[in-house]
Amino acid sequence: MQQQPAFTTLVQEIQNREYEDQEEPLDRVFERLQPKIQHALFQTSPDRREDLEQEIRIKLMEITRDYQWKESPEIDHFIRWD
């Protein structure tokens, strides 16, 4: 069984490619997240599932293309030092 690359690796691969060449790594992200997407879809009415799936895929594309690795908050942002 072939080991799948980490999500961080896939996101970096997407960001390093030209827009037209991002389809293959994006498909791998969708494939890996398909069980979670399906679980979310079954929590809504059947007549809205197709639209919701499209919206989820669009949001995933935006997130993977725009995620900023260097701009993550410092640990102090999450800790209260009272």
Side-chain angles (χ1 to χ4, degrees):
M1 182 175 192
Q2 184 179 0
Q3 186 175 359
Q4 296 181 350
F7 276 112
T8 54
T9 304
L10 288 172
V11 171
Q12 288 173 338
E13 185 178 341
I14 291 165
Q15 291 180 347
N16 290 335
R17 290 183 178 209
E18 293 295 322
Y19 185 82
E20 307 82 35
D21 298 327
Q22 294 175 349
E23 184 176 347
E24 189 263 330
L26 277 170
D27 284 343
R28 289 192 287 166
V29 169
F30 295 149
E31 182 180 305
R32 294 216 13 220
L33 292 175
Q34 192 60 31
K36 292 195 177 287
I37 292 171
Q38 289 301 313
H39 180 74
L41 294 175
F42 284 120
Q43 295 179 26
T44 190
S45 61
D47 60 323
R48 294 180 160 219
R49 289 180 185 163
E50 188 176 331
D51 291 337
L52 180 58
E53 183 173 11
Q54 289 176 0
E55 291 296 322
I56 290 171
R57 287 176 176 263
I58 290 168
K59 187 53 88 174
L60 282 170
M61 285 189 288
E62 291 171 354
I63 290 168
T64 56
R65 289 177 176 149
D66 299 336
Y67 186 77
Q68 299 295 315
W69 295 99
K70 303 291 182 190
E71 295 181 15
S72 59
E74 297 292 327
I75 190 69
D76 293 338
H77 177 78
F78 300 102
I79 299 175
R80 293 185 62 188
W81 296 100
D82 296 336

